[in-house]
Amino acid sequence: MASLELMKITGYTDEEFQNKFPGNPYVLMINPDNIKLQKAIEYNEQQAPATSSTSQKFKSTPSDKLSFDTVIDCTGIVDSKRTDMSKEIKALETIIYTYNGKIHRPNFVKVQWGENITFNGVLNSIDISYTLFRPDGSPLRAKIALAFSQYISPSTETKIIAPKSPDLTHIVTVVEGMSLPQLCLQTWDDDSLYIEVAKFNNLNKFRNLDGINKLLFPPVIQSN
């Protein structure tokens, strides 16, 4: 019979998740009953002329969210060597919550459970509910609710998404004498997308851009 593998949370001091925070990862005492992974897409809703309906223009893809509950049990039943609640809470908070003066922020964290769950992110919130106490009032058991946001470093994101990709938003400075198709070619290597830019900026011209300093080039996903 395979041994039980517990979820662990490791701190990192760099956004590339290469340098581990000194000390051991925090290993959960009890694995979560369920894990929630949330993905979302944001849109800009725009109303087309002469119609009451709205169209949804892609805006961005927010970072993924990971959340779960776990229990710290210091009664000695789960683990006879882990019976100090304050020590457990401090060990967990030091990795995921406490301000790290060397990097001027809390640590980056990696949540791992087996081979299938690996999540690089930062802590959004930690909620601690104490549910069992000794006669002197010291807590013996706590329910911990944790929520994380995925973190991808700017350099890694640049590698994932090409800088000239048409699904990114660009603020473009208008160069005197250049037409909108030429600006699209310069920005996206594609001059066929000028109609989308003109619509987004409410332009009725695309060749003579006199008097315009900057234009917003919205995310545009090309059809195959």
Side-chain angles (χ1 to χ4, degrees), residues 154-217:
S155 59
T156 301
E157 189 171 21
T158 300
K159 295 175 184 177
I160 295 173
I161 304 176
K164 289 193 174 183
S165 173
D167 59 359
L168 291 178
T169 297
H170 303 270
I171 298 175
V172 176
T173 300
V174 177
V175 179
E176 185 178 356
M178 290 188 71
S179 66
L180 200 52
Q182 288 174 317
L183 290 173
C184 289
L185 184 64
Q186 175 182 278
T187 305
W188 290 325
D189 289 332
D190 189 342
D191 62 358
S192 67
L193 300 173
Y194 70 90
I195 295 177
E196 296 290 340
V197 178
K199 287 181 179 178
F200 196 83
N201 290 273
N202 296 318
L203 296 179
N204 56 11
K205 57 185 179 180
F206 61 90
R207 294 198 181 279
N208 183 2
L209 301 177
D210 290 346
I212 301 174
N213 294 321
K214 293 183 183 297
L215 289 173
L216 183 64
F217 279 44

Side-chain angles (χ1 to χ4, degrees), residues 9-14 18-25 90-96 98-103 105-109:
I9 304 175
T10 306
Y12 286 82
T13 58
D14 69 302
Q18 298 297 316
N19 301 317
K20 290 185 178 180
F21 181 68
N24 296 322
K90 183 178 180 180
L92 176 60
E93 288 187 344
T94 297
I95 289 175
I96 67 174
T98 304
Y99 183 84
N100 185 339
K102 292 184 178 180
I103 60 174
R105 56 165 298 147
N107 293 324
F108 303 92
V109 294

Side-chain angles (χ1 to χ4, degrees), residues 4-221:
L4 176 66
E5 184 165 354
L6 296 170
M7 178 183 285
K8 64 179 181 179
I9 304 175
T10 306
Y12 286 82
T13 58
D14 69 302
E15 59 184 14
E16 300 292 345
F17 294 86
Q18 298 297 316
N19 301 317
K20 290 185 178 180
F21 181 68
N24 296 322
Y26 185 83
V27 179
L28 300 193
M29 297 182 72
I30 300 174
N31 285 327
D33 289 330
N34 60 78
I35 296 174
K36 181 179 180 181
L37 180 62
Q38 181 182 8
K39 296 175 178 285
I41 299 175
E42 291 183 350
Y43 295 93
N44 284 323
E45 291 194 356
Q46 297 179 335
Q47 186 169 332
T51 179
S52 59
S53 62
T54 58
S55 61
Q56 293 183 317
K57 298 289 187 179
F58 176 78
K59 180 182 177 182
S60 63
T61 303
S63 60
D64 295 351
K65 310 291 184 184
L66 178 75
S67 59
F68 56 86
D69 294 346
T70 186
V71 172
I72 295 177
D73 189 311
C74 293
T75 61
I77 297 173
V78 176
D79 188 335
S80 61
K81 297 179 180 179
R82 298 172 68 175
T83 58
D84 188 333
M85 179 63 72
S86 61
K87 184 178 179 180
E88 292 291 331
I89 296 295
K90 183 178 180 180
L92 176 60
E93 288 187 344
T94 297
I95 289 175
I96 67 174
Y97 173 76
T98 304
Y99 183 84
N100 185 339
K102 292 184 178 180
I103 60 174
H104 308 291
R105 56 165 298 147
N107 293 324
F108 303 92
V109 294
K110 177 178 289 187
V111 180
Q112 294 174 286
W113 189 10
E115 296 180 358
N116 296 321
I117 295 179
T118 300
F119 188 90
N120 291 349
V122 292
L123 178 71
N124 277 351
S125 65
I126 174 172
D127 295 326
I128 304 172
S129 301
Y130 296 105
T131 59
L132 183 66
F133 303 85
R134 293 189 177 91
D136 64 0
S138 57
L140 281 170
R141 186 176 297 139
K143 180 180 179 180
I144 312 294
L146 296 170
F148 301 90
S149 288
Q150 183 185 38
Y151 186 89
I152 300 176
S153 70
S155 59
T156 301
E157 189 171 21
T158 300
K159 295 175 184 177
I160 295 173
I161 304 176
K164 289 193 174 183
S165 173
D167 59 359
L168 291 178
T169 297
H170 303 270
I171 298 175
V172 176
T173 300
V174 177
V175 179
E176 185 178 356
M178 290 188 71
S179 66
L180 200 52
Q182 288 174 317
L183 290 173
C184 289
L185 184 64
Q186 175 182 278
T187 305
W188 290 325
D189 289 332
D190 189 342
D191 62 358
S192 67
L193 300 173
Y194 70 90
I195 295 177
E196 296 290 340
V197 178
K199 287 181 179 178
F200 196 83
N201 290 273
N202 296 318
L203 296 179
N204 56 11
K205 57 185 179 180
F206 61 90
R207 294 198 181 279
N208 183 2
L209 301 177
D210 290 346
I212 301 174
N213 294 321
K214 293 183 183 297
L215 289 173
L216 183 64
F217 279 44
V220 176
I221 299 179

